[in-house]
Amino acid sequence: DFKESDECGSFLEVHGPSTPYDNEEAMLSQSKITTPVSNGMYTTTLSLKYKDDPSRILCSYEYHDIQVGSMVRVKNSISCCCPPWLSPLRDSHEGAFFCPKRKYSKDGGPFAPDYKSLEEQFADHEFQRSFPRCPALDGDDVLMCTQERVFVEDVPKGHSGRYFVRPCAPLVEADDSGQYSSVDVSGLYPGVCPIDKKFAGCGMTPSSGLCHDKDHHYTMKDEIGKVTSILTKSNPNY
């Protein structure tokens, strides 16, 4: 009865040394032994997909130049500064959120995981339309904000129809002292988030290291992501 079950039987497993990504106990790949008991040698195959993810493979190499498509772990304290308040689990009708979002993950935008199947892709296609809705995207990351509609006194406070979704407003210079702000953030900031234009709705972290009021301190330190572009030495931000 349990012949086809992946919970029973003997398996070959691949483990590796402890790294920032996994410890030694993490199973990176496995293959079930389906051949009956034999008294000789037996040859089988073992998948090199990293944790069954078709977009990642098991490998051991050292390369000093980062390439587009490489998976990296951010070691230093690069921060995406202070975006409007983020609702991590998207369980609030107010605040900001990253698109695209994922139905089976709390991470969205820059850290949205890749699809592992067509079923996941189809489920997420429908999920983008649920509140808070994500616009149709062409492989880009967008910081979105919800805003209360006008003349909604008769709509319950927690009802999604009371709000609409739009891209978060970019910060602009707000006074003669060079401070920046927008209608979505909670105060004045010394500048716009320098990481990428996709985060133009975020303020640069003040010297105090604290964001204003409910604004979210968003950091990429210790996050794992895929390199999508590389600055050349001629770029002023290199």
Side-chain angles (χ1 to χ4, degrees):
D1 292 340
F2 301 99
K3 181 180 178 181
E4 304 300 327
S5 173
D6 287 334
E7 303 298 326
C8 299
S10 299
F11 294 81
L12 295 174
E13 296 183 350
V14 176
H15 297 260
S18 294
T19 69
Y21 306 96
D22 301 293
N23 58 35
E24 293 181 0
E25 297 179 356
M27 185 183 66
L28 307 182
S29 180
Q30 70 171 6
S31 179
K32 186 174 183 178
I33 299 175
T34 58
T35 301
V37 175
S38 67
N39 58 0
M41 301 296 292
Y42 167 65
T43 301
T44 186
T45 59
L46 189 62
S47 172
L48 292 181
K49 297 177 183 177
Y50 175 80
K51 295 184 177 179
D52 206 31
D53 184 343
S55 67
R56 305 171 70 182
I57 63 171
L58 295 174
C59 59
S60 177
Y61 72 99
E62 292 185 6
Y63 197 77
H64 298 291
D65 295 328
I66 295 177
Q67 301 291 308
V68 172
S70 299
M71 300 301 295
V72 297
R73 178 173 178 259
V74 180
K75 293 183 177 180
N76 59 9
S77 56
I78 294 177
S79 171
C80 193
C81 312
C82 302
W85 178 67
L86 295 170
S87 179
L89 300 179
R90 300 182 300 274
D91 55 359
S92 172
H93 288 130
E94 299 181 56
F97 63 100
F98 278 112
C99 287
K101 55 185 182 178
R102 291 288 185 261
K103 184 173 183 178
Y104 302 108
S105 172
K106 67 179 180 63
D107 296 317
F111 299 107
D114 288 336
Y115 299 120
K116 294 184 178 180
S117 65
L118 288 176
E119 289 77 10
E120 280 192 15
Q121 187 172 357
F122 178 77
D124 261 8
H125 179 72
E126 296 297 319
F127 184 61
Q128 306 303 316
R129 304 177 185 179
S130 64
F131 190 90
R133 290 170 288 278
C134 281
L137 301 172
D138 185 19
D140 211 355
D141 304 316
V142 181
L143 182 63
M144 303 291 289
C145 284
T146 59
Q147 181 175 334
E148 194 172 55
R149 302 179 188 273
V150 295
F151 310 120
V152 289
E153 290 80 4
D154 296 331
V155 181
K157 188 72 174 176
H159 194 279
S160 60
R162 190 181 179 97
Y163 307 89
F164 69 93
V165 178
R166 57 167 174 76
C168 295
L171 271 70
V172 295
E173 195 166 354
D175 61 16
D176 294 337
S177 64
Q179 297 288 297
Y180 287 74
S181 190
S182 76
V183 296
D184 295 317
V185 296
S186 299
L188 296 172
Y189 289 96
V192 181
C193 178
I195 301 300
D196 191 273
K197 63 181 181 180
K198 298 172 184 177
F199 302 103
C202 309
M204 180 187 294
T205 306
S207 57
S208 65
L210 301 175
C211 299
H212 299 304
D213 197 24
K214 290 181 69 176
D215 291 346
H216 194 99
H217 189 265
Y218 192 79
T219 180
M220 293 184 178
K221 184 179 181 181
D222 294 327
E223 294 283 3
I224 298 172
K226 181 183 293 184
V227 177
T228 58
S229 63
I230 299 175
L231 297 178
T232 62
K233 292 184 178 180
S234 60
N235 191 299
N237 293 322
Y238 181 78

